[in-house]
C-alpha cells in the first residue's frame, strides 16, 4: 500500500495588495520588486476575518469535498505553519475543532518553507504502515501582520503573502500510483540566516516590556538574501535529483515540478539547471508572493484545477527554507 493524494483545496484572502500599493508605504517600486522576486501582487488577510487557523480550515474543507470525504473520515491532522494564531497551542487542534473531527491526533509542523513537504513525509509513513487511512495535511500562513512595512524592512516584506492550502491523503494498492519517496534534510548551522529572533524565551516578556524600543527590529523576520539564494539553488537541485535517482527516473519523466514559491528567480534557475521545459514547472508566486508552508499546496491545488495534473503523472514537490531545511516528495498521481 502506498499513500496518494485524494483531494486538494486552497484559500486565498480577498484582499489583493499590488506592488504599487506597497510603494505607497515604503521606498520601492513595481519594477524593482518584479526584477528581484517575480512578484506582482500578493494576498493579505482581512482583519477580523482571516486567521491562520480559519484559512487552513477553509482549505481543508475544500480538500475534503474534493476527496469525497467528511471530517469524520480523517484519522490524523498535520498542520504546517510558522505563523500560528497563538504562541501555544498550535493550530492543529483549532482545525480539529473547527472541522468537527473525532478526537484524533493533531500535529503541528514547524519547518517553515519546507513544512508542507515534511508533513507529507510524515503522512506517508502513517499511511504506509497502516496507522491511518486518511491524513489531512494543511499549510497556512498569515505573514502580513508581522512584517516591517517600512523602507527599513522592504527587502523581506515585499516577498511574503497570506493564504492556505490543503491535501487529503489516503492509501492505494493500484500498481504504479502513489508516493514513491520523500527526502528530508537540515543544516542548523545557518539557522539565523533566515529567522525571526524575537520574541523568544531568550528575550521574553519582562525584557520586552522594559525595553519598549521602537527601533528594535528583532521582532521582524530577517533574511540574508544572497546567502539564502546561493544555498537554495544548490539544495533544490540536489534534493530533486536525489528523489529521481532513488527511483531510477530522470527529469524527462516529470510531468510537473511544483517548487516552494520562494522567489521566481530561484525557480527559473532550477528549471534551467535541470533542463526542464517551461511546461514542466508550475509557478504562481507572481500572484500570491511567498506563502511559506502554504505555497506548495496552493500551487498543487491550482495546477490540478487547471488540468495540469492527470492520473498517472509524475509530480515532484520540493522546498528549501529557514532552518536551513529542505526536502522533496515524488508522487505518481
Amino acid at each position: 500500500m502506498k499513500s496518494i493524494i485524494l483531494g486538494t483545496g486552497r484559500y486565498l484572502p480577498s484582499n489583493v495588495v499590488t506592488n504599487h500599493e506597497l510603494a505607497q508605504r515604503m521606498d520601492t517600486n513595481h519594477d524593482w520588486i518584479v526584477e528581484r522576486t517575480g512578484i506582482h501582487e500578493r494576498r493579505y488577510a482581512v482583519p477580523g476575518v482571516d486567521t491562520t487557523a480559519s484559512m487552513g480550515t477553509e482549505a481543508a474543507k475544500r480538500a475534503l469535498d474534493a476527496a469525497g470525504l467528511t471530517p469524520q473520515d480523517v484519522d490524523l491532522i498535520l498542520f504546517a505553519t510558522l505563523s500560528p494564531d497563538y504562541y501555544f497551542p498550535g493550530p492543529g487542534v483549532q482545525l480539529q475543532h473547527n472541522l468537527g473531527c473525532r478526537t484524533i491526533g493533531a500535529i503541528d509542523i514547524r519547518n517553515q518553507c519546507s513544512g508542507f513537504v515534511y508533513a507529507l513525509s510524515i503522512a506517508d509513513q502513517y499511511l504506509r504502515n497502516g496507522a491511518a487511512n486518511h491524513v489531512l495535511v494543511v499549510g497556512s500562513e498569515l505573514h502580513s501582520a508581522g512584517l516591517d512595512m517600512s523602507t527599513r524592512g522592504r527587502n523581506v516584506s515585499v516577498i511574503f503573502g497570506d493564504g492556505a492550502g490543503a491535501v487529503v491523503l489516503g492509501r492505494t494498492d493500484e500498481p504504479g500510483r502513489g508516493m514513491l519517496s520523500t527526502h528530508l534534510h537540515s543544516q542548523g548551522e545557518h539557522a539565523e540566516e533566515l529567522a525571526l529572533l524575537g520574541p523568544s524565551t531568550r528575550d521574553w516578556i519582562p525584557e520586552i516590556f522594559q525595553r519598549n524600543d521602537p527601533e528594535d527590529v528583532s521582532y521582524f523576520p530577517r533574511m540574508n538574501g544572497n546567502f539564502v539564494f546561493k544555498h537554495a539553488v544548490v539544495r533544490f537541485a540536489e534534493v530533486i535529483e536525489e528523489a529521481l535517482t532513488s527511483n531510477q527516473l530522470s527529469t524527462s519523466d516529470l510531468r510537473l515540478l511544483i517548487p516552494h514559491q520562494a522567489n521566481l528567480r530561484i525557480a527559473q534557475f532550477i528549471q534551467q539547471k535541470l533542463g526542464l521545459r517551461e511546461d514542466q514547472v508550475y509557478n504562481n508566486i507572481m500572484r500570491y508572493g511567498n506563502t511559506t508552508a502554504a505555497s506548495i499546496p496552493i500551487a498543487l491545488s491550482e495546477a490540478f484545477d487547471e488540468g495540469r495534473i492527470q492520473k498517472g503523472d509524475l509530480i515532484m514537490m520540493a522546498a528549501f527554507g529557514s532552518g536551513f531545511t529542505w526536502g522533496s516528495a515524488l508522487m505518481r498521481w
Side-chain angles (χ1 to χ4, degrees):
M1 300 291 288
K2 292 182 180 178
S3 65
I4 193 166
I5 292 175
L6 303 175
T8 67
R10 65 187 182 279
Y11 174 85
L12 283 307
S14 60
N15 184 19
V16 178
V17 179
T18 66
N19 293 341
H20 298 293
E21 291 176 77
L22 291 184
Q24 297 174 14
R25 305 192 197 183
M26 61 187 74
D27 183 13
T28 190
N29 61 72
H30 174 76
D31 293 340
W32 186 89
I33 297 172
V34 171
E35 179 183 350
R36 287 161 177 76
T37 69
I39 300 168
H40 291 245
E41 61 186 36
R42 72 285 294 146
R43 304 293 181 94
Y44 281 177
V46 178
V49 175
D50 299 315
T51 71
T52 296
S54 73
M55 292 190 295
T57 299
E58 290 305 312
K61 288 178 178 177
R62 295 170 188 182
L64 285 167
D65 286 345
L69 298 171
T70 72
Q72 297 303 308
D73 296 314
V74 178
D75 300 309
L76 178 68
I77 289 170
L78 300 172
F79 200 124
T81 188
L82 63 74
S83 52
D85 291 359
Y86 313 123
Y87 193 87
F88 69 86
V93 295
Q94 293 176 271
L95 182 62
Q96 180 272 335
H97 171 68
N98 291 347
L99 291 175
C101 296
R102 295 171 287 116
T103 56
I104 57 175
I107 301 174
D108 300 298
I109 309 296
R110 290 294 307 276
N111 287 89
Q112 294 69 247
C113 299
S114 59
F116 182 76
V117 172
Y118 266 67
L120 281 182
S121 183
I122 296 169
D124 181 47
Q125 302 308 312
Y126 269 87
L127 291 161
R128 281 178 183 268
N129 66 24
N133 290 317
H134 297 107
V135 179
L136 176 59
V137 178
V138 175
S140 181
E141 302 288 6
L142 200 163
H143 291 296
S144 57
L147 298 173
D148 183 356
M149 303 303 293
S150 69
T151 298
R152 178 182 61 189
R154 65 179 177 178
N155 288 345
V156 172
S157 297
V158 301
I159 297 172
F160 293 97
D162 303 336
V167 299
V168 182
L169 293 100
R171 305 169 72 204
T172 181
D173 58 2
E174 189 172 345
R177 298 189 69 200
M179 188 76 74
L180 301 182
S181 62
T182 61
H183 307 267
L184 307 179
H185 298 276
S186 67
Q187 192 174 13
E189 68 188 273
H190 301 310
E192 294 192 5
E193 300 297 338
L194 176 54
L196 177 62
L197 301 180
S200 71
T201 52
R202 296 190 304 174
D203 185 21
W204 204 218
I205 305 300
E207 292 84 358
I208 295 172
F209 285 149
Q210 183 178 9
R211 189 166 59 249
N212 192 27
D213 180 6
E215 299 303 316
D216 184 2
V217 297
S218 67
Y219 307 111
F220 296 118
R222 65 175 298 274
M223 177 173 65
N224 184 344
N226 288 334
F227 189 87
V228 172
F229 185 97
K230 290 176 181 177
H231 279 72
V233 294
V234 172
R235 297 307 193 186
F236 256 118
E238 286 180 350
V239 80
I240 290 169
E241 290 173 342
E242 178 183 7
L244 291 171
T245 300
S246 295
N247 294 280
Q248 298 180 314
L249 295 165
S250 68
T251 53
S252 62
D253 296 309
L254 285 178
R255 174 63 186 93
L256 203 61
L257 165 65
I258 301 180
H260 161 54
Q261 305 294 300
N263 185 310
L264 185 60
R265 306 304 167 225
I266 293 176
Q268 291 172 333
F269 187 96
I270 295 303
Q271 177 183 333
Q272 183 179 21
K273 184 173 183 178
L274 297 179
L276 296 169
R277 302 185 310 274
E278 190 78 21
D279 67 336
Q280 286 181 288
V281 183
Y282 191 88
N283 292 302
N284 62 4
I285 190 172
M286 59 287 292
R287 297 190 295 278
Y288 305 128
N290 181 344
T291 54
T292 309
S295 78
I296 290 178
I298 289 173
L300 185 69
S301 175
E302 276 200 334
F304 181 79
D305 287 350
E306 292 171 8
R308 299 281 299 274
I309 300 174
Q310 304 291 333
K311 181 178 179 180
D313 285 345
L314 188 66
I315 308 300
M316 174 80 75
M317 292 162 278
F320 173 91
S322 174
F324 287 155
T325 62
W326 62 99
S328 63
L330 185 62
M331 173 177 285
R332 180 75 69 178
W333 199 275

